Amino acid sequence: MSTTKLAPAAPPAPASPKRGPRRPGEVAGMVALLLTVAIWAGFALSARALSTSTLEPADAALLRFGVPLLVLAPALWRRRRRFAAVGRWTALKIVGGAGVPFFLAAMYGGSLTSTAFVGAIVPGMVPLFVSVLMMTNGRGVPKRMQAAGLCLIAMGVVALVSPYVVAVDGDVLFGSGMLLLASGLWALYTVGLREVDLDPVGSIGLLCGPSFVVVALLVLTGVLPTNLGAATWPDLTFFLLVQGLGVGLCAGLLYAFAIRRLGAERSAVVGSLSPVVATLLAIPLLDEPLTVAVLVGVPLITLGVVLANIRTRHRPKVLPDA
């Protein structure tokens, strides 16, 4: 009688692992991202608060660009050769896009409008301007989801500004134009960052060094007024923390850290909450009203930024069987 060999019993299938707690890197990345959103909201608040403070815009700019240079001086000195290797046009995009022109446009525009305008228009319009710059350089047209997001952003800005067009409020309209200019400049800065081979510390130095020199020269020559010597300590402390340490130093480092831990897409989506946070904080802190235009415009811009940052994943093609 022939015997048959029995196949060895297959090992039991491992139980599907339960999703455990978030990895420490993800938790740290989310904390860094939430801190970045709070700093961005603080930038919008400070742009509005500057109109009632004892500081001039040039004073805030000196703090914004000077504090990071002072704190990072040893690290920036070690990177001096890498700064010299940056192309002139790329450096101009970075320094002009996020330096003195951007700062003054954002601060002046914020003084004529509201925190909701600064928080929504400046970061919200960046994806639209970046897409325009990319198409101008022949780098493709936005996909369907991105195009829908860009349309929502434009609709949100129209919703914010339209009541002041009907009422012909020249100050708000001019301030909105300055904020749009600031957003366009920031888009130029964003494109410039993609072309430069610098880490976050080096990028901060490349931006703040020339910008501080320009502001200092404009103040010393009397082109820009200053009130730094007569400013009150609360105002100095507020702008030192928000503009100098917060926006100038921490935001860039924290956001770069968050992108490494969470990825660019997740970081951009969570970062789009900054207009909402700035608008909500402005109600109790600056006594700003929550108007219908804000209730419609800010959510539209926020949703548009989320959609504009979604990257579609292409499925691999399945080849037919031979």
Side-chain angles (χ1 to χ4, degrees):
M1 184 176 64
S2 61
T3 59
T4 57
K5 294 182 179 181
L6 299 177
S16 57
K18 296 182 179 179
R19 183 175 177 83
R22 290 180 180 269
R23 292 177 297 176
E26 289 187 354
V27 175
M30 186 58 67
V31 171
L33 186 56
L34 293 177
L35 288 174
T36 305
V37 171
I39 292 171
W40 287 344
F43 172 81
L45 290 170
S46 67
R48 181 59 178 162
L50 185 61
S51 61
T52 58
S53 74
T54 56
L55 290 172
E56 295 288 343
D59 301 328
L62 288 172
L63 295 174
R64 158 70 177 87
F65 300 116
V67 172
L69 289 178
L70 183 63
V71 175
L72 299 176
L76 297 178
W77 176 254
R78 291 194 296 269
R79 290 165 172 80
R80 61 190 183 278
R81 293 183 179 178
R82 302 186 66 179
F83 294 145
V86 177
R88 293 181 181 179
W89 177 233
T90 299
L92 183 61
K93 290 179 183 177
I94 293 174
V95 176
V100 178
F102 163 81
F103 188 85
L104 295 180
M107 291 293 107
Y108 190 62
S111 68
L112 295 176
T113 55
S114 67
T115 303
F117 275 61
V118 180
I121 292 178
V122 175
M125 286 292 290
V126 169
L128 184 57
F129 285 122
V130 169
S131 297
V132 172
L133 290 173
M134 291 300 182
M135 288 188 292
T136 302
N137 294 331
R139 299 185 183 179
V141 179
K143 305 298 182 182
R144 292 181 180 178
M145 192 68 72
Q146 286 81 40
L150 299 178
C151 290
L152 287 178
I153 292 171
M155 291 169 58
V157 173
V158 171
L160 275 177
V161 178
S162 57
Y164 302 96
V165 175
V166 175
V168 194
D169 191 327
D171 287 344
V172 174
L173 293 178
F174 184 75
S176 300
M178 296 299 292
L179 295 178
L180 288 171
L181 173 61
S183 183
L185 290 170
W186 191 267
L188 193 65
Y189 165 72
T190 303
V191 173
L193 280 182
R194 297 177 180 179
E195 301 173 356
V196 71
D197 184 22
L198 289 174
D199 61 359
V201 173
S203 299
I204 291 174
L206 179 61
L207 168 65
C208 293
S211 299
F212 180 80
V213 172
V214 170
V215 175
L217 289 176
L218 292 176
V219 170
L220 292 175
T221 56
V223 176
L224 291 179
T226 179
N227 194 43
L228 198 59
T232 63
W233 279 107
D235 287 344
L236 282 173
T237 303
F238 174 75
F239 281 91
L240 176 67
L241 293 176
V242 174
Q243 290 289 349
L245 294 177
V247 178
L249 182 63
C250 296
L253 299 178
L254 289 172
Y255 193 58
F257 178 83
I259 288 177
R260 286 197 298 268
R261 293 296 186 271
L262 303 175
E265 182 176 319
R266 290 173 63 186
S267 299
V269 170
V270 178
S272 65
L273 296 175
S274 62
V276 178
V277 176
T279 301
L280 294 177
L281 289 176
I283 297 172
L285 295 180
L286 299 178
D287 198 25
E288 291 190 359
L290 193 61
T291 63
V292 175
V294 171
L295 286 173
V296 174
V298 171
L300 280 176
I301 293 174
T302 301
L303 178 59
V305 172
V306 172
L307 294 179
N309 282 285
I310 291 178
R311 297 291 178 263
T312 56
R313 295 178 175 84
H314 299 285
R315 295 181 180 179
K317 293 182 179 179
V318 179
L319 299 177
D321 293 335

